[in-house]
Amino acid sequence: MWRNSVTLSFSSKLLASSSSANFNYFRGASAFSIFAPNAVVDHPISPSHQRFYSSSAAPSPSPSSDSVIKLGFLANKTDGFKANDAIQIARHYGRCYWELSKARLSMLVVATSGTGYVLGSGNAVDLAGLCYACAGTMMVAASANSLNQVFEINNDAKMKRTRLRPLPSGRIGTPHAVTWAASVGIAGTALLACKANMLAASLAASNLVLYAFVYTPLKQIHPVNTWVGAIVGAIPPLLGWAAASGQISLNGLILPAALYFWQIPHFMALAYLCRDDYAAGGYKMFSLTDASGRRTAAVAFRNCLYLVPLGFIAYDWGVASGWFCLESSLITLAISAAAFSFYRDRTTQKARRMFYASLLYLPVFMSGLLFHRLSDEQQCLAENADRIAELSSFPEDATESGNDDMKRKFRYVTSSPLGRPPVAYASIAPFPFLPVPSYVDQ
């Protein structure tokens, strides 16, 4: 009896305090009554019941099932409100971080970096290393984009397409955004330094500085900012190549060159389409000083033509097969045709068509480069096949001259009795021009 009295007294006090503190608990009670039809929690408490609940001195029977259900509902409702608040806060800041990082643009940067990593990997691609390189690139790109928005709050507030970003709209504070940018930038650079190499980390850090502290303020000073921005976009594939190979070689510059020349027509089309917005924001874009648009279209068309020989260079340097040379030439001629059409008829429709053509060009180019790329072994076999073909007429000359020793050594080159392709070469007197395996005398 005492236990029941104490329980009911505590329960009634908790119920009275909860109901007086927050009347909204009873607003959602009807939804609960669907799952517990015996609990009448959506009706007001009668005066007699109020007097009953306020008295705890006299003995009373055990609490009814209705009281137990009410208490359980209120406790669960409090936990539910806390959980919902936490979810809403997480969604809010997650959305702000997503927009500060310009996540879709950052993922494009990661795609170019990952392509560079695969191209620089040689025969086998280290998947763990690829993931680390992409994650580090994503963090650094997010940091650079966030700092870009921190420096351009006032400018973004004046432009229609940017005034709803987190900082101009007041959804997040500047100190918070700076803290976010610094955290992910340092973390991304450290990840590349630890899991890749210092060369890749240095490229990432230098690109962050170039984008946030050179390109961003230059947008309000001089139209040359477009070409500086193109350099920023060309570094990520070089970063990926350096992360995979640990060095910067001539072959690794093909994709960065494609990124550089591709960005010029891409930016020119965008700047032409958004001329009024850029003027309102106070940006010094190239298209704003070109009322007719002729020079803007000419620059775009010229840089499209610079893309034409890249497919042949990739084939000639042994990076990709001959099929890529053909495919690259076709898609480059397509984007060049769109740029030439814009040059002849400088309208918004033609500029938008060139912009869409540029969006299509880059993924097709990178996909073709990955699909037709040649590994180190394939490059060696191709080179050796060419060398052996060049020497196909040499045995006859050697026979006519009576040089039996040289004839024997040439048969050794072509037959490769050790079961290894003749990759390493050395010279044998008296014919220094003849490549033979370095393990001939072993």
Side-chain angles (χ1 to χ4, degrees), residues 113 117 129 132-134 136-137 140 188-208 235-248:
S113 177
Y117 188 96
Y132 287 131
C134 290
T137 304
V140 176
T189 305
L191 181 64
L192 290 172
C194 295
K195 297 299 183 178
N197 50 63
M198 289 301 300
L199 178 59
S202 300
L203 287 172
S206 62
N207 209 31
L208 189 155
I235 290 179
L238 191 63
L239 185 157
W241 182 285
S245 63
Q247 61 181 352
I248 297 176

Side-chain angles (χ1 to χ4, degrees), residues 121-327:
S121 296
N123 297 326
V125 179
D126 182 7
L127 295 181
L130 175 62
C131 293
Y132 287 131
C134 290
T137 304
M138 183 70 183
M139 293 181 187
V140 176
S143 175
N145 289 323
S146 300
L147 290 175
N148 172 266
Q149 295 185 52
V150 168
F151 295 145
E152 295 181 345
I153 298 177
N154 297 330
N155 303 85
D156 288 345
K158 301 175 184 178
M159 300 173 63
K160 294 181 180 179
R161 68 185 186 91
T162 57
R163 63 188 178 187
L164 296 180
R165 285 177 175 175
L167 288 170
S169 62
R171 286 183 287 142
I172 195 172
T174 302
H176 192 152
V178 172
T179 303
W180 156 257
S183 300
V184 294
I186 294 173
T189 305
L191 181 64
L192 290 172
C194 295
K195 297 299 183 178
N197 50 63
M198 289 301 300
L199 178 59
S202 300
L203 287 172
S206 62
N207 209 31
L208 189 155
V209 173
L210 185 62
Y211 182 81
F213 300 99
V214 178
Y215 167 71
T216 298
L218 199 59
K219 289 167 65 178
Q220 305 176 43
I221 299 174
H222 196 274
V224 76
N225 66 79
T226 301
W227 285 264
V228 176
I231 296 175
V232 172
I235 290 179
L238 191 63
L239 185 157
W241 182 285
S245 63
Q247 61 181 352
I248 297 176
S249 60
L250 197 60
N251 289 352
L253 298 178
I254 295 176
L255 185 56
L259 262 293
Y260 178 84
F261 294 126
W262 165 82
Q263 286 177 95
I264 304 300
H266 177 78
F267 287 159
M268 290 300 169
L270 181 63
Y272 186 86
L273 293 171
C274 304
R275 284 184 296 178
D276 296 337
D277 230 13
Y278 281 124
Y283 295 113
K284 306 296 183 182
M285 308 306 290
F286 186 79
S287 59
L288 298 182
T289 61
D290 181 24
S292 64
R294 179 177 293 273
R295 288 191 299 161
T296 302
V299 170
F301 178 62
R302 182 170 64 247
N303 281 270
C304 287
L305 295 180
Y306 293 156
L307 293 169
V308 174
L310 292 181
F312 176 77
I313 293 175
Y315 164 71
D316 186 61
W317 290 358
V319 177
S321 65
W323 286 107
F324 175 74
C325 177
L326 177 61
E327 294 173 2

